[in-house]
Amino acid sequence: MITFANLWLLLLLIPVALLGILMACRKRPSVKISTVIPLKKSSGRKKRLTVMEAALLIALALTVIALARPRTPEGTRKHRAQGVDIILAIDMSGSMQCFDRPAGMSEEKFVNEINSSKTLNRLETAKREIRSFIEARPNDRIGLIGFADLAYSFVPPTLDHALLLERLKTLQTGELGDATGIASPIGSAAGHLKKSKSPRRVLVLFTDGANTAQNRVAPQAAAEAAKEFNVVIHTVGIGAENSYAITAPFNQLARVQSMPDIKLLREISAITGGNYYAAADADGMKRVMEEINALEKTDHSNPVPAAYKEYAPMLALIAAGVLMLAIVISSVMRQRLP
């Protein structure tokens, strides 16, 4: 179907039509002679357009239509009209270096898998699954916050996922301290998302510990503030009872007690209408990210033309051709008085 990029320009056809009417109705120049009988059939007073006038009107009409850019679409693509703005807040405290043994796996096999790098620590496991999550959502603005003693915004919500993935890859434990401050990332995320124009604003907070940092604001109060900006918080508790850490000075693997504060994380998510998820090990983290990905769907996309076939150049050439042909015909057929 033919559409017009500048449909309003077709209004210029109205003055072109009026010009044609004026040309057809105006009196033609004539010569006074004693009798009009021999020239009656060729009287200059007949109301009709000359070849040149008709050609001019046709060329003007074609030029106006060309300016309106008639075109037909060739193929379509998906255009993101509205998406989800998501911030991923990742715990970078020292306990994220721990390893979580899957249920049913022997300690000996678990140690062997750690030594062969088949099993990753909590932070690296989270980074791997978060990478897959980001790659599955190309149409969403996604940001990245790291936190420990305090929160740091590494990447604000963006569609530049290449930058986001590059920064995610560099995150290391201990960069922001060893304590866990849960209120700070919530406040930082709310500060970014309150300016968002997206109808859906989401914070996914990953942590394996309790709120141990000395912050002036409680995590629940920060969640209440986030709720005022329509931010939904999903919390992910990382780790289980079968957790291990590499201890100094001999780099030995020792069992440790490092569990998330499930009660607190449930309270935070409930305040904003979000969900709490438990990621006891690598498989658990994978399932959690798949569930969040399925929950926070991006379906606000519309098919729009990827390219158009333009008819304006062809119409402009026809208009020029009509004028040139009219000039030639007028030159050949023009009658002159002696």
Side-chain angles (χ1 to χ4, degrees), residues 19-231:
L19 178 62
I21 294 171
L22 289 174
M23 285 181 173
C25 294
R26 70 183 176 87
K27 291 184 177 181
R28 306 294 179 178
S30 59
V31 178
K32 290 184 178 181
I33 57 177
S34 59
T35 178
V36 297
I37 295 175
L39 301 175
K40 189 175 182 180
K41 293 183 180 180
S42 59
S43 173
R45 294 183 182 273
K46 281 192 175 180
K47 297 177 181 179
R48 68 181 180 187
L49 297 175
T50 65
V51 172
M52 196 63 192
E53 289 170 342
L56 178 61
L57 290 173
I58 293 172
L60 283 173
L62 290 174
T63 301
V64 169
I65 297 172
L67 288 172
R69 288 181 60 195
R71 57 190 185 172
T72 53
E74 294 183 332
T76 60
R77 61 180 172 81
K78 289 290 185 180
H79 173 69
R80 176 183 182 267
Q82 291 178 322
V84 182
D85 278 4
I86 303 172
I87 290 183
L88 307 169
I90 307 173
D91 191 341
M92 296 171 60
S93 62
S95 59
M96 288 291 284
Q97 290 182 326
C98 292
F99 299 84
D100 294 300
R101 177 159 62 96
M105 180 180 290
S106 68
E107 187 169 336
E108 181 181 359
K109 182 180 179 181
F110 181 60
V111 171
N112 290 335
E113 291 209 350
I114 292 174
N115 291 334
S116 61
S117 299
K118 292 182 180 179
T119 294
L120 304 175
N121 65 31
R122 291 173 177 174
L123 180 60
E124 294 303 320
T125 298
K127 285 162 60 176
R128 181 182 63 190
E129 299 307 326
I130 288 171
R131 170 179 286 275
S132 299
F133 177 83
I134 293 170
E135 290 172 344
R137 308 181 71 89
N139 296 320
D140 292 324
R141 294 201 319 154
I142 302 178
L144 179 65
I145 291 175
F147 67 95
D149 292 358
L150 296 172
Y152 181 81
S153 179
F154 289 102
V155 182
T158 180
L159 287 171
D160 187 354
H161 291 180
L163 170 66
L164 184 65
L165 292 173
E166 187 62 31
R167 198 65 189 90
L168 174 68
K169 185 169 61 177
T170 65
L171 299 187
Q172 298 292 331
T173 58
E175 287 184 321
L176 302 174
D178 285 325
T180 301
I182 295 177
S184 293
I186 295 175
S188 179
H192 285 297
L193 294 174
K194 71 179 181 180
K195 303 174 184 177
S196 169
K197 296 180 181 179
S198 173
R200 184 72 173 172
R201 309 167 187 183
V202 177
L203 166 64
V204 185
L205 187 143
F206 305 83
T207 183
D208 69 340
N211 185 55
T212 58
Q214 299 300 314
N215 294 328
R216 289 179 294 179
V217 178
Q220 294 91 334
E224 291 285 358
K227 181 183 177 181
E228 293 298 316
F229 301 118
N230 298 318
V231 177

